[in-house]
Amino acid sequence: MATTMEEVRVTPFEQLGGREVIARIVGRFYDLMEADPAYAKLRAMHAADLGPMRHSLTGFLTAWTGGPKDWFNENPGKCMMSAHSGIAIDPESAQQWAGAMKRAVADVAPDDQKIADLFAERLSQIAEAMAGR
Ligand code: HEM
């Protein structure tokens, strides 16, 4: 059967507002981690300079949401497991990660609230699942 409509695939990356919005979420996430003692344990696990992480997490989440895959090209063979090998993630640090990410998404408030909520919720679930491995 002929169709006059082409299938249009929209990625979560596009729905969120692209790399610019993801970079703002990541920026807010690390700003909160630096400023709010509620995330002190998580902050202490990171290097003094969070600049490289701001770049890396933006690139990772860009790829993860269906945007350009530069992060995987820049980090051949790296994955979520290898990126965190040797890092002792416990429930407290995982909850701090999830809490800071939920707040960062809420503060940046992407236009499409439904996809923003899904993004924050899925990342929080992943963070919590990483505890105690
Ligand atoms: C569960 C709680 C988590 C903790 C405690 C945690 C902690 C860390 C730490 C300490 C680093 C190294 C930071 C540095 O060198 O300064 C790191 C790297 C990284 N994390 Fe996490 N992380 C968590 C969850 C996540 C999640 C859910 C994601 C993404 C979905 C993520 C993505 C990354 C990326 C992309 C890197 C950088 C890898 C690289 O460029 O080498 N992390 N994480």
Side-chain angles (χ1 to χ4, degrees):
M1 192 175 86
T3 172
T4 53
M5 297 266 291
E6 265 183 50
E7 188 182 357
V8 179
R9 285 176 186 272
V10 181
T11 61
F13 173 74
E14 291 164 300
Q15 289 173 300
L16 276 168
R19 192 181 166 96
E20 192 260 327
V21 169
I22 291 176
R24 271 165 46 209
I25 292 170
V26 170
R28 182 69 182 140
F29 174 77
Y30 288 114
D31 287 350
L32 285 168
M33 201 194 284
E34 295 219 88
D36 192 330
Y39 311 118
K41 182 166 193 173
L42 182 62
R43 175 66 188 94
M45 294 167 78
H46 286 74
D49 179 8
L50 290 174
M53 278 305 303
R54 290 173 189 267
H55 175 76
S56 185
L57 189 57
T58 299
F60 178 85
L61 293 176
T62 291
W64 184 72
T65 52
K69 305 286 180 222
D70 301 356
W71 188 90
F72 287 93
N73 298 330
E74 287 167 14
N75 296 280
K78 197 176 268 191
C79 68
M80 281 298 287
M81 294 304 286
S82 62
H84 296 92
S85 65
I87 299 173
I89 299 177
D90 62 4
E92 194 186 349
S93 53
Q95 274 161 23
Q96 290 185 5
W97 200 104
M101 182 53 74
K102 280 184 180 163
R103 261 179 79 187
V105 172
D107 289 351
V108 169
D111 291 341
D112 186 335
Q113 201 188 327
K114 197 172 159 209
I115 197 77
D117 287 349
L118 274 169
F119 175 76
E121 191 52 42
R122 289 292 178 267
L123 284 176
S124 298
Q125 286 171 347
I126 292 169
E128 279 161 19
M130 285 163 68
R133 304 236 161 163

